[in-house]
Amino acid sequence: MADFPFGFGKPSGDDDPDRPGGGSGGSNPNDPFGFGAAGGDPNNPFGALFGQMNQADLGAAFQQLGKLLSYEGGPVNWDLARDIARQTVAQQGDASIGAVERSGVEEAVRLAELWLDEATSLPSGVSTTAAWSRSEWIEATLPQWRALVEPLATRVVAAMGEMMPDEMQSMAGPLLGMMRGMGGAMFGAQVGQALGALAGEVVGSTDVGLPIGPAGKAALLPANLTAFGEGLSLPQEEVRLYLALREAAHQRLFVHVPWLRQHLFGAVEAYARGIKVDMSRLEEAAGRIDPSNPEALQEAFSQGLFEPEETPEQKTALSRLETALALVEGWVDAVVHSAAAPRLPSAGALRETLRRRRATGGPAEQTFATLVGLELRPRRLRDAARLWASLADARGVDGRDAVWQHPDLLPTAADLDDPDGFVHHAELDLSGLDAELDADLDSLEAKNEAKDEPKADDGERGANGDDDKPKGGDGDKGPAA
């Protein structure tokens, strides 16, 4: 788990006046919210408001602060997050997408779909294709990032109020309101920083293993795709096609496994419900804060004032989410390799490059470590890919993909440690289940046949002898009432 999720981390101590957003320079026209340059310290978004602005800008700074503190859109200031994310990609460079790039993406996805038809029983999940700029990626995925992050931020804010005595809440009401407002800005600044950095790295809408884009839309980012292919000594067309295969495979899984989206996001919500705030630490820190000193508030935030405690419930939820993400990524890895290996000379090299990208801290790991506190382990991805490949060998493509019919059929974290054991164990369980079902059906048929036999009347029962008589009764009298 990340030490300081949501930007409540240690200050970087960067006082370099030459750093964008640092020093004591004046306001930046590209930074209308006064948070310093988007590439600055994400743990110190208030630096430009306090101690980094000229006196002439002081009034504007407090106006901006008032706007931030009066935000009523929830525990995360999403307006601020969007602005900071877009500022970040603007500094990186964000060229518009041309017709040639769009045509290249469309053709790659079309060919990828044909190859995948032979590698999986799941039908195509792509209804539209898109070539996105970095800003377009931010706008398209922001609603799902909101669904992912907001339960966590909401729980952090709620935990503060739940653990504070009523009398203390009434006394500290104005201070808590201010802190909630600043917390929303802190959350927004951190999310904006993370999404802006992520937009400069992702190559499609499914890089983080979650359905964060519109359903059924296969999207690639040509600028990032080109950057990814640099240094690989491979044709750009092959790189684009391989990444299109991964994008289209993700879409098949997310579109045709209807419970998967809720399964993944439900694990995040379960993690959020387990968040508890160390009240003793909060009380100790609150006793040192001077509400009239904004710098003291800033320092308290940057030193992890609201760092959540890790609980058994959170560990369970994170384990569940980590396993589910590994299974998604492992399935895509196995299916894409099956489709590409016979046709694409560079398939093996691209597969290993993407695996190493994850192992060295790619977009998924970094973003989840920042926003959720989850770090995907590369070992899980490799183990999951091996498990899906083993299932395909043992049961065929249809049998492998049938595991996605229900979440109870999915392998567990323990199964990832022994993929071959899961495959053979599942086969034994299924054969035993078939025998039990056959026995149950035979028993049911016997009961139905017994019910269908005509019932004898009283006289017939008497004529059949004593064995047919009801106990304690007479053949002429019939059954006892």
Side-chain angles (χ1 to χ4, degrees):
M1 177 176 173
D3 291 336
F4 299 100
F6 292 108
F8 295 122
K10 297 179 180 179
S12 67
D14 185 1
D15 296 322
D16 182 6
D18 296 326
R19 178 179 56 81
S24 57
S27 60
N28 185 342
N30 294 322
D31 180 21
F33 290 91
F35 276 77
D41 181 3
N43 294 322
N44 186 19
F46 292 96
L49 286 172
F50 304 113
Q52 294 185 9
M53 301 190 72
N54 296 327
Q55 290 184 353
D57 297 323
L58 192 58
F62 278 100
Q63 275 188 331
Q64 293 161 2
L65 178 60
K67 181 178 179 180
L68 293 175
L69 297 183
S70 62
Y71 179 78
E72 297 181 353
V76 179
N77 191 326
W78 290 103
D79 293 339
L80 178 62
R82 175 186 284 106
D83 289 335
I84 288 182
R86 294 195 64 126
Q87 288 174 28
T88 302
V89 299
Q91 292 179 351
Q92 296 170 349
D94 190 27
S96 59
I97 304 300
V100 174
E101 292 170 314
R102 295 186 189 279
S103 176
V105 170
E106 291 173 359
E107 184 61 31
V109 172
R110 188 179 301 112
L111 182 56
E113 290 281 54
L114 293 175
W115 290 7
L116 288 173
D117 285 340
E118 300 179 12
T120 174
S121 63
L122 296 181
S124 172
V126 176
S127 55
T128 57
T129 304
W132 282 340
S133 67
R134 291 163 178 168
S135 295
E136 288 174 328
W137 179 88
I138 290 172
E139 295 295 338
T141 62
L142 200 60
Q144 290 302 327
W145 286 115
R146 183 168 187 161
L148 174 67
V149 173
E150 204 151 75
L152 299 165
T154 299
R155 184 56 193 154
V156 169
V157 173
M160 293 164 48
E162 291 172 359
M163 299 186 68
M164 185 172 289
D166 293 339
E167 58 274 14
M168 187 175 179
Q169 289 187 37
S170 60
M171 295 175 60
L175 175 60
L176 286 178
M178 182 189 307
M179 292 170 71
R180 279 194 294 268
M182 294 182 72
M186 291 288 290
F187 289 158
Q190 181 66 31
V191 173
Q193 291 277 358
L195 295 184
L198 190 61
E201 299 179 3
V202 295
V203 294
S205 71
T206 57
D207 273 28
V208 298
L210 284 172
I212 59 172
K217 177 170 284 189
L220 296 176
L221 283 72
N224 294 351
L225 190 151
T226 300
F228 173 79
E230 291 178 354
L232 296 180
S233 301
L234 297 173
Q236 189 69 18
E237 293 77 11
E238 291 190 19
V239 175
R240 180 170 56 222
L241 179 54
Y242 191 85
L243 296 175
L245 281 164
R246 289 182 54 83
E247 179 74 11
H250 274 103
Q251 292 296 339
R252 290 186 181 222
L253 194 59
F254 290 136
V255 170
H256 295 292
V257 182
W259 53 264
L260 184 56
R261 178 184 296 264
Q262 183 55 42
H263 182 73
L264 294 170
F265 282 83
V268 178
E269 294 176 1
Y271 168 76
R273 287 194 296 269
I275 288 179
K276 295 181 180 179
V277 177
D278 187 346
M279 190 59 193
S280 61
R281 182 178 181 184
L282 178 61
E283 291 176 349
E284 180 184 355
R288 300 194 308 266
I289 292 177
D290 179 3
S292 64
N293 184 356
E295 293 183 357
L297 289 173
Q298 173 190 329
E299 182 180 0
F301 272 97
S302 64
Q303 289 181 348
L305 179 58
F306 304 126
E307 178 190 355
E309 293 181 319
E310 190 174 22
T311 63
E313 294 83 0
Q314 287 175 287
K315 291 180 180 179
T316 299
L318 286 177
S319 176
R320 172 189 168 202
L321 179 58
E322 182 186 49
T323 300
L325 288 171
L327 291 172
V328 169
E329 290 297 298
W331 183 88
V332 169
D333 180 275
V335 168
V336 169
H337 184 70
S338 175
R343 303 177 177 92
L344 203 61
S346 59
L350 286 167
R351 184 190 199 189
E352 189 59 29
T353 297
L354 286 165
R355 284 179 166 185
R356 291 181 180 180
R357 189 182 188 217
R358 287 292 181 88
T360 56
E365 292 83 3
Q366 294 174 357
T367 302
F368 273 90
T370 299
L371 300 181
V372 184
L374 174 70
E375 295 178 353
L376 293 176
R377 289 177 291 171
R379 180 177 64 85
R380 301 286 81 185
L381 187 153
R382 291 178 182 270
D383 289 343
R386 189 157 64 91
L387 183 146
W388 292 118
S390 297
L391 277 175
D393 291 340
R395 305 187 200 173
V397 169
D398 291 346
R400 177 200 63 197
D401 296 344
V403 175
W404 290 106
Q405 291 179 356
H406 194 278
D408 291 345
L409 299 177
L410 286 181
T412 64
D415 294 325
L416 293 182
D417 294 326
D418 183 19
D420 294 333
F422 171 79
V423 174
H424 298 309
H425 178 69
E427 289 177 341
L428 291 175
D429 284 348
L430 288 175
S431 62
L433 181 60
D434 289 339
E436 291 180 6
L437 289 175
D438 290 340
D440 290 341
L441 287 174
D442 291 342
S443 175
L444 183 60
E445 289 176 358
K447 290 180 180 179
N448 290 335
E449 290 176 358
K451 290 181 180 179
D452 293 338
E453 292 180 357
K455 295 182 180 179
D457 58 23
D458 293 345
E460 290 174 339
R461 281 198 297 269
N464 288 336
D466 293 340
D467 292 340
D468 293 329
K469 293 180 181 180
K471 293 182 180 180
D474 191 319
D476 295 335
K477 296 179 180 178

